[in-house]
Amino acid sequence: MNSTAVLERQNEILRRNIETMIIKNNRDGLSRQENGFYHTMVKEWHQNQYEINQMRD
């Protein structure tokens, strides 16, 4: 697999994990540690999106 495919796969996994965290947050709330993980995943997802867009241009 090339680097774009790897980033796209990683983005898909991050997106699913972020969705799970959002559902948990809406249902039960997040602990302090979970909230930190959530924000880290969102930042990483945005960074991957940026890198994918740069490779496509």
Side-chain angles (χ1 to χ4, degrees):
M1 286 198 316
N2 62 20
S3 60
T4 304
V6 171
L7 283 174
E8 288 173 350
R9 178 69 182 137
Q10 185 179 18
N11 256 10
E12 180 65 25
I13 293 168
L14 282 168
R15 187 184 60 78
R16 288 180 189 167
N17 288 338
I18 290 168
E19 285 178 359
T20 303
M21 295 293 277
I22 290 171
I23 292 168
K24 184 181 183 322
N25 187 29
N26 289 339
R27 189 183 53 221
D28 305 325
L30 296 176
S31 69
R32 204 174 213 159
Q33 185 178 25
E34 289 170 329
N35 194 37
F37 289 150
Y38 169 73
H39 285 282
T40 301
M41 284 190 291
V42 170
K43 288 177 187 176
E44 188 174 341
W45 183 77
H46 281 286
Q47 180 64 35
N48 284 351
Q49 284 292 104
Y50 176 79
E51 289 177 18
I52 289 170
N53 289 335
Q54 290 298 313
M55 288 180 187
R56 289 182 179 160
D57 290 341

